[in-house]
């Protein structure tokens, strides 16, 4: 089955992402892309906290939604359009599925934040730097 990338609906996609994540970060004002299959939103990538060289990324989805096409669009936005050198993802330690996805697409574990969540849970920070991103057009790594 094919899907389409939803651009220009950042508020809708951001709210959907936040609803999928327990302990979701504030995605107000995020720039977000969605994956739509059969008129249903099945995944999304949201970018927040842009600080010149860095941007925070939050993802959520179901099934096989995070395709190369969407990864390329997200990485191009962060690294080319925004001009960032790095993306950061914060994931709850107990969320093994999200940690696995981040590691498989190229994020590296960089830090531990003890008692970062309301319930006392630990957050893990992951980073991807432009020089190591295999999803950019012309990259010889992907």
């Amino acid at each position: 089955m094919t899907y389409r990338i939803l651009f220009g609906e950042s508020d809708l996609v951001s709210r959907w992402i936040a609803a999928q994540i327990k302990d979701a970060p504030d995605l107000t004002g995020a720039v977000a892309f969605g994956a739509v299959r059969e008129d249903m939103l099945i995944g999304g990538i949201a970018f927040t906290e842009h600080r010149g060289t860095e941007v925070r990324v939050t993802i959520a989805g179901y099934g096989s939604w995070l395709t190369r096409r969407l990864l390329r669009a997200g990485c191009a936005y962060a690294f080319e359009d925004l001009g960032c050198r790095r993306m950061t993802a914060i994931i709850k330690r107990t969320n093994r599925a999200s940690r696995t996805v981040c590691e498989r697409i190229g994020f590296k574990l960089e830090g531990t934040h003890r008692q970062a969540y309301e319930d006392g849970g630990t957050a893990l920070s992951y980073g991807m730097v432009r020089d190591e991103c295999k999803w950019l057009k012309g990259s010889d790594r992907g």
Side-chain angles (χ1 to χ4, degrees):
M1 284 194 177
T2 61
Y3 75 96
R4 66 183 171 88
I5 299 176
L6 179 62
F7 295 104
E9 293 290 339
S10 290
D11 290 340
L12 172 73
V13 176
S14 295
R15 284 193 310 273
W16 185 89
I17 292 169
Q20 310 312 306
I21 303 172
K22 186 179 187 223
D23 303 310
D26 180 9
L27 299 178
T28 304
V31 172
F33 311 135
V36 176
R37 182 176 290 139
E38 296 178 1
D39 293 326
M40 182 184 298
L41 195 54
I42 59 168
I45 304 173
F47 298 90
T48 57
E49 301 177 35
H50 177 226
R51 295 184 190 98
T53 61
E54 179 181 16
V55 68
R56 182 165 173 183
V57 62
T58 303
I59 65 171
Y62 295 103
S64 300
W65 69 275
L66 193 55
T67 64
R68 289 179 180 175
R69 195 168 105 218
L70 191 56
L71 284 167
R72 285 184 178 126
C75 290
Y77 175 74
F79 294 129
E80 294 171 358
D81 296 347
L82 293 179
C84 292
R85 284 194 304 245
R86 63 171 287 118
M87 291 189 288
T88 301
I90 305 295
I91 304 170
K92 197 166 190 178
R93 175 182 272 166
T94 56
N95 189 343
R96 187 70 189 135
S98 289
R99 292 172 50 202
T100 298
V101 167
C102 275
E103 291 166 6
R104 284 187 179 161
I105 63 176
F107 280 81
K108 306 281 190 240
L109 178 61
E110 296 180 332
T112 302
H113 309 268
R114 298 173 297 143
Q115 299 184 24
Y117 292 97
E118 188 69 32
D119 65 359
T122 299
L124 300 176
S125 57
Y126 284 82
M128 179 188 291
V129 296
R130 179 188 176 107
D131 295 344
E132 297 171 354
C133 180
K134 63 184 179 181
W135 306 106
L136 292 176
K137 191 173 187 177
S139 171
D140 59 2
R141 295 176 291 281

